[in-house]
Amino acid sequence: MGKYQTEQRIILMDFFEKNPDHNFTARQIYENIKDSGISISAVYRNLSDLAISEKIQRVAGKNSREIFYRYTGSEKCMGCLHLSCIKCGKTFHMSKEAAEKISETISEYSNFSINVIKSVIYGVCSDCDE
Amino acid sequence: MGKYQTEQRIILMDFFEKNPDHNFTARQIYENIKDSGISISAVYRNLSDLAISEKIQRVAGKNSREIFYRYTGSEKCMGCLHLSCIKCGKTFHMSKEAAEKISETISEYSNFSINVIKSVIYGVCSDCDE
DNA sequence: CTAGTTGCAAAGAGTTTGCATGGCG
DNA sequence: CGCCATGCAAACTCTTTGCAACTAG
């Protein structure tokens, strides 16, 4: 998946690197980069490849037709757990240390090894919590 | 949302109560209960209502067109965190106690209050972990 | 040069909606 | 009896695919 480094692929990855941890629909991504010269089919095809190689995650939105793509392949995301605020939609990073502690707690209570990249904790951030 | 207790609504809720915490597509749900007498539009309309009232959660699948519905409104799900195995797809419950401990860890490291119902931890269960 | 990738337009799927009918309270 | 929900079919959108042209290595 991704043997050639095409111009379109670079455009898409550039966009993701500039906007890590943010939810976009396929169309939103396309709207953002179409002027650089990429077709919507190329967007979809690359999105599929990236999802398979787990560099992006798919997230279901509130409306049933809404699917978001979130780039989690960047360096600074490695090993840290993500917190997503239900109200404002912002994403926060937890430190690697915190992630490890949670991972420990989980295995303490059950036989389960967490995949930190795929997991997102939903809740309310301090700004939105009154 | 849901002022009348229609036959179709009962059929759908029955199905969910019998299959809590399991991911189904809209079509799979329909296939399972259509013989009881319900149309696919009624399924979709009720699914929307249930998602709004947060009795079910939407989850994005591996293929971009796949959206799963998971019933989390049952009594025994209240207060416990869910673990979902990436390999076998099974869902496991964590005790309320464990959920609280994780909630504590999170607020210890950041100002964030977890919504346990909406959050799902992904990883690998003991059966699939070799 | 060869295999992988793109663009376009058409096909395919899943979801939503308008309207008349039927049912709950 | 009045409002809400259902069923059906048509309409919509989003996503995928076939094919010819193009391009990275």
Side-chain angles (χ1 to χ4, degrees):
Chain A
M1 65 214 64
K3 303 204 173 179
Y4 290 176
Q5 175 119 354
T6 65
E7 193 195 336
Q8 290 81 348
R9 235 130 31 207
I10 294 169
I11 292 165
L12 180 60
M13 292 316 292
D14 265 12
F15 175 75
F16 274 136
E17 285 292 350
K18 278 182 198 140
N19 300 281
D21 281 321
H22 193 288
N23 285 166
F24 297 100
T25 62
R27 174 144 253 105
Q28 288 170 336
I29 294 169
Y30 173 64
E31 292 297 332
N32 268 282
I33 59 177
K34 66 177 174 188
D35 294 337
S36 315
I38 185 171
S39 68
I40 189 125
S41 7
V43 169
Y44 274 113
R45 282 194 261 238
N46 282 299
L47 246 25
S48 291
D49 293 346
L50 287 167
I52 289 168
S53 56
E54 305 202 343
K55 295 212 178 56
I56 60 175
Q57 306 294 322
R58 276 192 244 264
V59 182
K62 298 217 170 188
N63 310 319
S64 40
R65 241 186 335 224
E66 240 174 17
I67 294 189
F68 294 109
Y69 294 86
R70 190 165 60 86
Y71 179 57
T72 51
S74 78
E75 271 309 312
K76 62 179 174 185
C77 289
M78 298 314 263
C80 62
L81 192 58
H82 294 87
L83 307 174
S84 176
C85 178
I86 305 170
K87 296 202 178 171
C88 67
K90 277 195 203 122
T91 303
F92 302 87
H93 283 75
M94 286 200 81
S95 66
K96 218 164 167 171
E97 191 190 344
E100 272 163 25
K101 196 160 176 183
I102 287 171
S103 172
E104 272 170 36
T105 307
I106 290 171
S107 49
E108 201 175 295
Y109 284 89
S110 57
N111 262 308
F112 196 90
S113 64
I114 178 174
N115 177 321
V116 174
I117 292 193
K118 278 187 150 351
S119 302
V120 181
I121 306 276
Y122 292 95
V124 180
C125 73
S126 52
D127 292 342
C128 296
D129 187 30
E130 76 298 42
Chain B
M1 64 214 66
K3 303 205 173 178
Y4 290 175
Q5 176 119 354
T6 65
E7 193 194 336
Q8 289 82 348
R9 223 114 62 190
I10 293 168
I11 291 165
L12 180 60
M13 292 316 292
D14 265 11
F15 175 75
F16 274 135
E17 284 293 349
K18 278 182 198 140
N19 300 279
D21 281 321
H22 195 289
N23 284 165
F24 296 100
T25 62
R27 174 144 251 107
Q28 288 171 337
I29 295 169
Y30 172 65
E31 292 298 332
N32 268 284
I33 59 177
K34 66 177 176 190
D35 293 337
S36 314
I38 184 171
S39 68
I40 189 127
S41 7
V43 170
Y44 275 113
R45 282 195 258 238
N46 282 299
L47 246 25
S48 290
D49 292 347
L50 288 167
I52 289 169
S53 56
E54 305 204 344
K55 295 213 180 52
I56 60 175
Q57 306 293 323
R58 276 192 243 265
V59 182
K62 297 216 172 188
N63 311 322
S64 39
R65 246 190 327 229
E66 241 175 14
I67 294 188
F68 294 109
Y69 294 84
R70 190 165 61 87
Y71 179 57
T72 50
S74 79
E75 271 309 312
K76 62 177 174 186
C77 288
M78 298 312 265
C80 62
L81 192 57
H82 293 87
L83 307 174
S84 176
C85 179
I86 305 171
K87 296 202 177 170
C88 67
K90 278 196 203 118
T91 304
F92 303 87
H93 283 74
M94 286 199 81
S95 65
K96 219 166 168 172
E97 191 190 344
E100 272 162 24
K101 195 157 176 183
I102 287 171
S103 173
E104 272 169 35
T105 307
I106 290 172
S107 47
E108 201 176 295
Y109 284 90
S110 57
N111 261 307
F112 196 90
S113 64
I114 178 173
N115 178 320
V116 174
I117 292 192
K118 278 189 150 351
S119 302
V120 182
I121 306 276
Y122 292 95
V124 181
C125 73
S126 51
D127 291 343
C128 296
D129 187 31
E130 76 300 40

